[in-house]
Amino acid sequence: MKQIMTLSAVVFALITSSFIFAASLNIQSGTILLYSDRAEGTWQLVTFDEPFNVVPNVVAQTVTYAGSDDPNLRIQNVTKSGFQIRFDEQNTANGTAGRADGSHATESVSWIAIAQ
């Protein structure tokens, strides 16, 4: 884990970890392998290493390129102990508007949860 401090920002690598900063920010992050299928209602549960004292804000991003369709991410049911996540494709591979098939290849997804 490498931390770089500047005058107004903290930059850090996303690895599975937990941090408590002097400004009383509690930060946890990780990377998961995610496969989901909207048609089957597939949601994956992510559980935090340590429960938060309050419900955190969660942000996630796909970090690989395994499927040809855009792998839009959905997050729901964020609690003090975890959240649910799945892919929800935006468009088909040929660029037509509307819903894609809803299923997506397995991708690595990094996430970060922050609470004060």
Side-chain angles (χ1 to χ4, degrees):
M1 178 62 190
K2 183 177 182 181
Q3 295 182 29
I4 301 171
M5 294 243 188
T6 64
L7 292 175
S8 62
V10 177
V11 179
F12 51 91
L14 281 179
I15 58 172
T16 302
S17 239
S18 299
F19 302 94
I20 298 177
F21 288 98
S24 72
L25 290 180
N26 186 355
I27 300 174
Q28 295 185 45
S29 63
T31 299
I32 60 170
L33 289 177
L34 180 63
Y35 167 82
S36 53
D37 187 343
R38 181 182 61 225
E40 295 179 10
T42 307
W43 289 90
Q44 183 170 327
L45 177 64
V46 176
T47 304
F48 301 129
D49 291 336
E50 297 285 330
F52 284 86
N53 292 329
V54 297
V55 176
N57 293 306
V58 177
V59 178
Q61 179 65 47
T62 307
V63 295
T64 56
Y65 183 76
S68 59
D69 295 327
D70 297 331
N72 188 39
L73 290 168
R74 300 262 181 181
I75 296 173
Q76 72 173 11
N77 298 329
V78 179
T79 68
K80 296 175 185 178
S81 60
F83 62 94
Q84 291 179 310
I85 187 169
R86 77 171 184 193
F87 287 123
D88 194 13
E89 292 180 349
Q90 301 176 64
N91 294 310
T92 58
N94 66 9
T96 59
R99 293 183 152 186
D101 63 8
S103 64
H104 193 79
T106 300
E107 301 262 14
S108 290
V109 173
S110 290
W111 58 268
I112 184 166
I114 303 172
Q116 193 165 18

